[in-house]
Amino acid sequence: MSKEYRGIVKAWEATVRKSQAVAKKRASSLFSTMSVAPADDEPGEVYHAEKVFSNGDFYTGQWADCLPHGHGKYLWTDGCMYVGEWSKGKKMGKGKFSWPSGATYEGEFKSGYMDGKGTYIGSGNATYKGSWVMNLKHGQGTKSFPNGDYYEGEWRRGFQDGHGRYQWKNGNHYIGQWRNGKIHGNGTMILSNGNRYDGSWEENFPKGNGTFRWGDGSFYVGIWSKDPKEQNGTYYPSGSPESSMEWDPQEVFTVELNDCQICPCEKIDIFPSQKVLSANDGEFLQKQAIYRKGHDVNVRNRRKSADVRMSNCSRDFIGDNASDGFEGLGNLEPERSVRGSRHQPQPFKIPPVKRQGVTISKGHKNYDLMLNLQLGIRHSVGRPAPATSLDLKASAFDPREKVWTKFPPEGSKYTPPHQSCDFRWKDYCPLVFRTLRKLFKVDAADYMLSICGNDALRELSSPGKSGSFFYLTNDDRYMIKTMKKAEVKVFIRMLPAYYNHVRSFENTLVTKFYGLHCVKLPGTSQKKVRFVIMGNLFCSDYAIHRRFDLKGSSHGRTTDKPESEIDATTTLKDLDLNYIFRLQKVWFQEFCRQVDRDCDFLEQERIMDYSLLVGLHFRESSFRESRTSPDCTSGSQTPTGNVDPDEAGPRLSKADMEKTLYDPSRWESTRLGIHMQARAERTVRRSDCEAQLVGEPTGELYDIILYFGIIDILQDYDISKKLEHAYKSIQFDPTSISAVDPKQYSKRFRDFIFRVFVEET
């Protein structure tokens, strides 16, 4: 045996003995009254400590691994205080948080947030008792207001939303539906004088069909509105001598409901999750925790490596396995190598996120088309029209309901002069789309400014698979897509069902459409360009680092770009997906319900080939952890390739980003699929299964902001798709191709999506 080899064997034996001694020492510590068992993800020794931080903050209580862990009290210099349970430096379990104003919250915490059952008493003695999710009232709860009003019912994202009862101090009370803190939907208002209203409401006032009844038996039935021009109904007197034959329905708004103002909820200036450990010392503490995590991982690796080599040695360590012994000794180095140069994190570099598309400037082949489009939109949206009600007549959806307008260059009585060619403009079902924009709360002036302002549109570099071209507005709010005649026919056919669906389900994930138009160009060809205007799902203050188009099929569902050319603007597909997405419980339940509703709607309309478009913004903290974790290498921990958070961060500054992440108004505006805070867990596919759609979870988690929605909903299962299905079924597995019957497509899509999106545990 050579001298070098004997030295290697001695090093191996010393390391094995050391790992056995550590294991024995840890086993004996189980019986210590001052410590807990240091499992893989458990803290080390827990002891009582009193800490005064450099900025004046004070902590007293149980302590482990340089972090509060157990029961303890933390007092911030601004007067905020938390007393309760901690887990690895975060408020976790039951506790009480108090503000300098005198407000208090007592209840359950999760990862620093008010989350679970809890009671909040405001500085003015307003009291909420019920369910919380991530600092916001969400679920069943009751609230007593300082003025004596009382609410009991459902809450969502901090506001009354769902079914609830509101009791005024003066004796009036309402029972029915709420939305975003306002009376909205069907409900009953019973006044203290015995009068009552039963029917539809919109933003705290009667709107739509309803009945107002007086105590003497007389009643008024009809359409209600604050606008007298829209009011329409019939008054039925009771027949008693006291009953008046003349009555103005507007008195309900000006007199009867005058004392029925909804008391606003108290704003919380700063949330418990925003109050963290001392900023000066927190970075050091975080590094200590990350260091320990990395240390434990490396210890486990060394133990595993030692066990393998012990097995090899028992057979014949010097034989064919000698080379393995030499190669594996890197894992047997002493603990100091954890912080040695070999394990230092590599600098990450990511190319900055680029804006999509090419600006259409003068000389571009589609410059005139863009001008035509902008002129037409300005004419359509700016044209005077009577106030619209959400209750549309069937005639508004008639396929023949379309308006043609001529746009001569010299102008006309209805159109301005322009520098483009002579063209004709067509609006499909203008009243329906005007009402849809109202339903989606799109301001007409902002809409025109985005599409028809001084800024040019941007054309995406290449058409989609269908041959359609896409254009983006300069502010990224709207996307314009050219359409085939067959797609327009499908859209017009399903427009009534689409309208009813998006009106019924506020959180629908299907694409929001704002207009359907056509430009007829001059010349012998009389070319028609049809296009639809829809919302851009990825319009956000945050850069989208990764985007996926998911259908649940495997044939051809991978990007055709080489890895070196994939960037943040590349739309990846099913077989490129390497994450599963973890949603908070309430959001996951709502997600499942809405996907089912949307798929049922598309299945009934015989639609297939749609997909879920998903966009990910990786939070700064994920990158920071990847950079500072001692046991990470440059490839395995980088969520989006080689990433530099300084370059790939949001379009806001870092300070503004942190502010908006913890801004309550941002959370309140969060909707299903829009600006959702979640976690992504990296997955790895088995090498022996080429068509495996969802890989195996690795436990590698990243904090993300998530955007998603169902797109491409205008492809019906027509004869061409049936032929495509028959042809491809001969060559490939019928279950792997996109062109399948709508019912089968819907089931496959749901099964896949519910494996990709899971509930956070």
Side-chain angles (χ1 to χ4, degrees):
M1 184 184 295
S2 68
K3 184 176 181 180
E4 181 184 2
Y5 189 76
R6 284 196 300 272
I8 291 171
V9 172
K10 287 182 178 179
W12 164 74
E13 292 173 342
T15 305
V16 172
R17 286 196 298 272
K18 184 175 181 180
S19 65
Q20 291 172 336
V22 170
K24 184 176 181 180
K25 182 179 179 181
R26 289 189 174 185
S28 63
S29 70
L30 285 170
F31 301 96
S32 172
T33 58
M34 294 297 294
S35 63
V36 295
D40 292 341
D41 57 351
E42 289 295 320
E45 182 181 2
V46 177
Y47 58 94
H48 183 83
E50 292 188 356
K51 301 285 182 180
V52 179
F53 298 96
S54 58
N55 67 342
D57 291 355
F58 174 77
Y59 174 81
T60 177
Q62 291 178 295
W63 191 264
D65 291 341
C66 300
L67 292 169
H69 187 81
H71 193 277
K73 177 170 71 173
Y74 195 107
L75 180 64
W76 286 268
T77 53
D78 62 2
C80 292
M81 183 175 69
Y82 172 76
V83 181
E85 298 174 349
W86 297 78
S87 177
K88 303 175 186 176
K90 292 185 178 181
K91 309 169 196 70
M92 185 80 76
K94 293 185 177 180
K96 182 176 182 179
F97 190 93
S98 58
W99 286 262
S101 63
T104 61
Y105 168 84
E106 187 169 3
E108 297 175 344
F109 288 82
K110 187 181 294 182
S111 298
Y113 296 94
M114 298 183 286
D115 200 303
K117 300 291 185 182
T119 300
Y120 174 84
I121 302 176
S123 55
N125 287 326
T127 302
Y128 170 81
K129 186 175 183 180
S131 296
W132 297 75
V133 172
M134 293 184 71
N135 291 336
L136 297 177
K137 307 174 190 72
H138 196 105
Q140 289 290 330
T142 62
K143 185 168 179 79
S144 301
F145 295 91
N147 65 353
D149 292 355
Y150 179 82
Y151 173 83
E152 179 181 11
E154 295 178 274
W155 298 75
R156 286 184 61 211
R157 303 192 296 273
F159 293 104
Q160 299 99 321
D161 201 304
H163 190 274
R165 179 175 68 88
Y166 194 100
Q167 177 84 39
W168 282 266
K169 184 181 179 180
N170 59 16
N172 299 338
H173 68 273
Y174 168 82
I175 303 173
Q177 294 297 312
W178 294 72
R179 181 186 292 178
N180 294 331
K182 295 181 179 180
I183 298 174
H184 194 106
N186 290 320
T188 298
M189 174 76 76
I190 302 176
L191 304 173
S192 57
N193 60 11
N195 299 340
R196 62 183 287 167
Y197 170 83
D198 299 90
S200 297
W201 296 75
E202 187 173 302
E203 298 191 346
N204 293 337
F205 292 102
K207 183 68 180 291
N209 291 309
T211 302
F212 191 88
R213 302 177 187 274
W214 285 264
D216 64 2
S218 55
F219 60 95
Y220 176 93
V221 180
I223 303 296
W224 292 79
S225 175
K226 288 187 72 175
D227 184 353
K229 296 178 181 178
E230 295 182 1
Q231 186 88 32
N232 184 18
T234 305
Y235 174 69
Y236 296 91
S238 64
S240 64
E242 296 82 9
S243 179
S244 172
M245 297 300 294
E246 295 184 2
W247 176 74
D248 182 3
Q250 291 297 303
E251 289 184 13
V252 170
F253 300 96
T254 58
V255 179
E256 299 283 357
L257 300 181
N258 192 44
D259 295 329
C260 296
Q261 302 295 318
I262 305 298
C263 189
C265 293
E266 178 180 340
K267 292 288 184 181
I268 300 175
D269 294 330
I270 188 166
F271 290 104
S273 56
Q274 295 171 259
K275 301 299 293 181
V276 294
L277 303 185
S278 167
N280 295 333
D281 299 289
E283 184 177 357
F284 168 74
L285 296 176
Q286 184 183 23
K287 287 181 178 179
Q288 290 295 312
I290 292 174
Y291 165 75
R292 176 173 176 80
K293 183 179 178 182
H295 163 72
D296 288 343
V297 170
N298 278 274
V299 167
R300 289 198 300 272
N301 289 341
R302 287 197 297 275
R303 287 177 182 171
K304 190 182 294 184
S305 181
D307 290 341
V308 171
R309 279 153 183 76
M310 288 176 71
S311 175
N312 290 338
C313 184
S314 65
R315 293 197 305 270
D316 187 356
F317 185 79
I318 304 177
D320 295 334
N321 293 322
S323 61
D324 291 339
F326 280 100
E327 190 176 308
L329 283 175
N331 287 330
L332 300 177
E333 291 186 5
E335 281 185 23
R336 57 182 172 82
S337 70
V338 173
R339 286 187 282 185
S341 60
R342 199 169 55 81
H343 286 274
Q344 288 296 324
Q346 302 298 318
F348 295 156
K349 283 290 178 185
I350 348 186
V353 176
K354 301 178 295 185
R355 295 193 80 187
Q356 281 188 291
V358 177
T359 301
I360 303 176
S361 54
K362 199 162 187 176
H364 191 284
K365 64 179 181 177
N366 288 325
Y367 180 73
D368 283 342
L369 179 62
M370 179 189 74
L371 292 182
N372 298 344
L373 187 153
Q374 291 178 323
L375 285 164
I377 294 292
R378 191 179 292 117
H379 172 76
S380 299
V381 178
R383 185 170 52 219
T388 57
S389 167
L390 297 181
D391 297 314
L392 296 178
K393 297 179 180 178
S395 59
F397 298 92
D398 193 314
R400 294 167 295 182
E401 189 69 19
K402 45 198 172 187
V403 179
W404 278 103
T405 306
K406 290 183 179 181
F407 278 81
E410 66 275 10
S412 69
K413 182 179 178 181
Y414 303 104
T415 63
H418 58 86
Q419 299 177 350
S420 182
C421 59
D422 185 6
F423 70 94
R424 294 183 70 195
W425 172 265
K426 178 160 67 171
D427 278 322
Y428 294 88
C429 301
L431 181 59
V432 176
F433 287 101
R434 183 181 290 270
T435 311
L436 280 171
R437 293 194 292 271
K438 177 183 176 181
L439 184 67
F440 295 141
K441 296 179 174 59
V442 174
D443 181 78
D446 290 342
Y447 183 70
M448 278 200 291
L449 193 62
S450 291
I451 303 174
C452 314
N454 295 329
D455 297 313
L457 302 177
R458 301 199 313 276
E459 182 179 70
L460 298 193
S461 56
S462 60
K465 187 178 178 182
S466 63
S468 299
F469 282 86
F470 292 87
Y471 304 92
L472 281 172
T473 57
N474 189 62
D475 59 6
D476 288 338
R477 291 179 65 183
Y478 303 104
M479 181 174 283
I480 300 165
K481 175 189 175 185
T482 62
M483 301 179 71
K484 296 178 180 178
K485 186 176 181 179
E487 288 180 307
V488 172
K489 286 184 175 181
V490 170
F491 192 15
I492 295 297
R493 184 204 75 202
M494 65 183 285
L495 190 56
Y498 171 82
Y499 179 83
N500 290 330
H501 182 76
V502 298
R503 185 182 177 187
S504 301
F505 303 110
E506 182 186 17
N507 282 335
T508 181
L509 298 175
V510 299
T511 306
K512 289 181 170 58
F513 294 112
Y514 302 117
L516 182 62
H517 312 282
C518 175
V519 171
K520 188 175 182 181
L521 300 174
T524 54
S525 63
Q526 294 284 294
K527 180 181 177 182
K528 292 181 180 178
V529 181
R530 303 169 183 86
F531 56 90
V532 65
I533 301 175
M534 49 195 177
N536 178 18
L537 188 64
F538 295 154
C539 177
S540 165
D541 291 332
Y542 297 91
I544 302 298
H545 295 129
R546 275 292 178 265
R547 56 190 74 203
F548 296 93
D549 181 276
L550 307 175
K551 292 186 176 183
S553 56
S554 58
H555 176 66
R557 298 298 295 161
T558 184
T559 183
D560 53 1
K561 282 187 177 182
E563 189 172 351
S564 59
E565 295 181 16
I566 294 176
D567 59 21
T569 64
T570 305
T571 301
L572 304 173
K573 300 180 182 178
D574 301 64
L575 294 179
D576 304 313
L577 181 66
N578 55 344
Y579 297 101
I580 57 174
F581 307 113
R582 298 190 171 276
L583 304 181
Q584 290 284 338
K585 181 178 180 179
V586 289
W587 282 118
F588 177 72
Q589 292 173 346
E590 192 164 345
F591 171 78
C592 293
R593 285 194 295 267
Q594 194 57 54
V595 168
D596 281 334
R597 292 165 180 159
D598 290 340
C599 287
D600 286 343
F601 157 67
L602 295 171
E603 183 181 328
Q604 289 167 10
E605 293 302 309
R606 300 289 294 166
I607 302 296
M608 43 78 66
D609 215 24
Y610 47 88
S611 55
L612 188 75
L613 186 63
V614 182
L616 284 67
H617 169 84
F618 287 91
R619 292 268 295 276
E620 177 79 10
S621 58
S622 296
F623 295 123
R624 189 182 300 120
E625 289 170 8
S626 295
R627 286 194 295 179
T628 57
S629 178
D631 83 309
C632 78
T633 57
S634 61
S636 62
Q637 291 288 328
T638 308
T640 60
N642 291 328
V643 177
D644 182 352
D646 296 333
E647 296 184 9
R651 295 164 190 158
L652 303 173
S653 67
K654 287 185 179 179
D656 287 341
M657 180 187 72
E658 290 301 320
K659 183 178 178 181
T660 52
L661 284 175
Y662 295 106
D663 182 3
S665 64
R666 282 296 183 117
W667 294 348
E668 291 165 6
S669 64
T670 297
R671 293 189 297 105
L672 186 66
I674 303 295
H675 189 77
M676 293 184 62
Q677 298 187 56
R679 294 206 294 173
E681 181 173 2
R682 185 181 283 277
T683 59
V684 176
R685 287 184 174 81
R686 299 198 310 269
S687 57
D688 60 339
C689 185
E690 293 182 3
Q692 184 185 13
L693 283 176
V694 182
E696 307 294 335
T698 63
E700 207 173 290
L701 295 165
Y702 302 98
D703 293 330
I704 60 172
I705 298 176
L706 200 58
Y707 299 83
F708 53 82
I710 297 176
I711 63 169
D712 295 337
I713 64 168
L714 301 179
Q715 177 61 62
D716 67 341
Y717 194 55
D718 57 11
I719 186 62
S720 65
K721 286 296 178 181
K722 292 177 181 177
L723 291 173
E724 180 185 343
H725 173 77
Y727 175 73
K728 288 186 176 180
S729 296
I730 299 172
Q731 299 175 293
F732 310 103
D733 179 2
T735 62
S736 71
I737 60 179
S738 295
V740 294
D741 176 85
K743 188 172 184 178
Q744 182 183 345
Y745 190 95
S746 172
K747 182 180 184 305
R748 184 181 65 187
F749 178 81
R750 285 187 240 198
D751 291 344
F752 172 63
I753 295 302
F754 292 152
R755 291 171 61 201
V756 173
F757 287 78
V758 298
E759 182 182 334
E760 180 67 277
T761 56

